[in-house]
Amino acid sequence: MSAAKPDLVALRDLKVAFDGVQVLHGIDLNVAKGEALGLVGESGCGKSVTWLAALGLLPGKAAVTGSVRVDGRELCGARRAALEEVRGGRIAMIFQDPSSSLNPVLRIGRQIVEALYIHRGLRGDAARVEALRLMDMVGIPDAARRFDLYPHEFSGGQCQRLMIAMALAGQPDLLIADEPTTALDATIQAQILDLLNTLRAETGMALVFISHDLGAVSQVCERVCVMYAGRIVEEGSVAQLFSEPRHPYTRGLFDAIPRIDGPRDRLIPIPGTVPNPKHLPAGCSFSPRCPRAVDACGSDYPHLEPQGDGRRLACTRPVPVVTRGDAERRIPEGLMS
Ligand SMILES: Nc1ncnc2c1ncn2[C@@H]1O[C@H](COP(=O)(O)OP(=O)(O)OP(=O)(O)O)[C@@H](O)[C@H]1O
Ligand SMILES: [Mg+2]
């Protein structure tokens, strides 16, 4: 799917286990230079762990295997120095937990200047000028005056912007934004999404956008990966997955979100809960919750296979292709060609 652009990151058979419990079951995923990829799925499906593992940021008790290549260079099992060169430099991550990113007892300007020194060797006036430019770029008003303030003197949305500024300090080729807007109100969320789009257009960086919010994903991403219980179950373009979700789980995610442009249908939550990684069901992990499951789904594990239309799908009983009329109702405004 990303054949047109060269791959920046390639994950192959990436597996993670904590204390002998497997939580990631072999992720194969490419991110092309400059593209925006969304990663969605219910809580606990492995979205954060995928990228924390890729960047070597999981605690020592995590057993990580597989391959993580950045521009062809293997990172899995690489030495610390090689990982540190990539982290923050080639790839920056905005963490799901904001408190882990901004230091509450350091003035904001100093934090950005420090990141500029680590990643680009900038010091003194040059670092200050660049820090102010970054604060300005992410839309912090009156940056010069606010340079010496502490994180608690900024609003939640502004802290999010400052975290993006810190992430941009290393001029990354890829920004991984883990739930960057979840804690924000709708207006600020829309502003952050706009900001991410603008920054991508200005810098040409690629983006991995991790979110529960399919609407947000459709506003910033070109391609979406849907994860369930530590595996990718469907991957395709945003337009493809919105118009024709084929995996019953993807379909379920769409049925569970309100649509402002569609008829006032009842929302249908996916019945049941995400399985505990310790006790995964046999066969397809989604089969106990799947409305289309047959007996065989409980015994055979479906592999993620490329489909004729360019998507990848792990399901032996996919949702039948919908008619054009239904498809049009599902595609959010702006994605219709
Ligand atoms: N440090 C850890 N130690 C043990 N288990 C962990 C650790 N971090 C994550 N896990 C487990 O790994 C699985 C995947 O977690 P992950 O954080 O990737 O989920 P997620 O998809 O990001 O969910 P959310 O949407 O809630 O952020 C979960 O079962 C979680 O309990
Ligand atoms: Mg997470």
Side-chain angles (χ1 to χ4, degrees):
M1 184 148 310
S2 48
K5 300 179 206 163
D7 284 324
L8 178 64
V9 182
L11 310 182
R12 289 290 170 274
D13 202 25
L14 187 66
K15 293 181 179 165
V16 174
F18 292 103
D19 304 315
V21 177
Q22 185 109 9
V23 298
L24 220 55
H25 297 263
I27 300 293
D28 288 324
L29 182 61
N30 291 4
V31 183
K33 289 192 170 134
E35 84 161 326
L37 171 73
L39 203 54
V40 297
E42 282 164 293
S43 187
C45 68
K47 305 181 295 295
S48 299
V49 161
T50 298
W51 291 98
L52 292 172
L55 294 179
L57 290 170
L58 286 175
K61 66 170 178 169
V64 180
T65 60
S67 163
V68 178
R69 286 180 175 270
V70 177
D71 266 342
R73 186 169 159 199
E74 181 61 54
L75 284 194
C76 202
R79 293 157 55 126
R80 210 180 141 142
L83 280 168
E84 275 174 3
E85 202 183 304
V86 168
R87 287 196 297 247
R90 307 294 310 278
I91 304 179
M93 185 159 176
I94 303 172
F95 295 96
Q96 189 167 6
D97 172 14
S99 60
S100 62
S101 302
L102 294 178
N103 187 333
V105 299
L106 284 187
R107 295 175 199 278
I108 214 69
R110 185 165 156 208
Q111 297 190 48
I112 302 177
V113 162
E114 214 162 85
L116 286 167
Y117 175 66
I118 293 169
H119 299 302
R120 283 157 66 190
L122 294 182
R123 292 168 189 261
D125 280 352
R128 187 183 162 91
V129 167
E130 178 62 1
L132 288 172
R133 189 186 73 84
L134 287 172
M135 286 172 75
D136 201 47
M137 193 175 180
V138 298
I140 299 291
D142 203 3
R145 197 180 54 81
R146 311 188 79 188
F147 191 82
D148 288 321
L149 299 185
Y150 290 94
H152 72 267
E153 295 174 274
F154 291 85
S155 72
Q158 285 171 339
C159 283
Q160 202 69 51
R161 287 168 188 270
L162 290 166
M163 284 194 285
I164 296 173
M166 298 256 292
L168 294 179
Q171 298 177 311
D173 298 320
L174 169 62
L175 176 66
I176 298 162
D178 195 350
E179 304 274 7
T181 59
T182 305
L184 305 173
D185 71 51
T187 320
I188 309 293
Q189 176 171 334
Q191 289 173 5
I192 299 285
L193 297 180
D194 275 353
L195 171 65
L196 288 172
N197 280 332
T198 310
L199 292 173
R200 270 191 66 225
E202 280 174 13
T203 62
M205 70 180 177
L207 176 71
V208 170
F209 184 81
I210 302 177
S211 181
H212 289 101
D213 184 345
L214 289 165
V217 166
S218 75
Q219 284 174 52
V220 289
C221 299
E222 293 137 8
R223 197 155 62 93
V224 191
C225 254
V226 179
M227 288 186 70
Y228 187 77
R231 290 186 168 96
I232 295 173
V233 295
E234 186 167 14
E235 183 220 302
S237 70
V238 166
Q240 251 175 352
L241 263 61
F242 271 76
S243 62
E244 261 179 19
R246 300 294 317 279
H247 198 289
Y249 179 61
T250 315
R251 175 69 194 262
L253 288 179
F254 283 115
D255 285 342
I257 56 167
R259 312 202 66 87
I260 43 172
D261 53 340
R264 288 176 168 258
D265 294 339
R266 266 191 64 205
L267 299 181
I268 312 161
I270 303 173
T273 51
V274 179
N276 180 337
K278 249 188 197 165
H279 308 289
L280 275 192
C284 169
S285 311
F286 185 59
S287 59
R289 301 173 74 190
C290 180
R292 296 187 50 76
V294 292
D295 285 349
C297 299
S299 52
D300 303 328
Y301 173 71
H303 289 282
L304 186 64
E305 305 280 2
Q307 307 294 300
D309 59 3
R311 80 177 82 198
R312 293 192 298 162
L313 181 65
C315 180
T316 50
R317 297 258 307 145
V319 178
V321 173
V322 292
T323 62
R324 183 73 185 150
D326 284 347
E328 279 169 6
R329 281 203 293 122
R330 290 181 165 276
I331 303 177
E333 222 177 307
L335 288 176
M336 295 287 291
S337 50

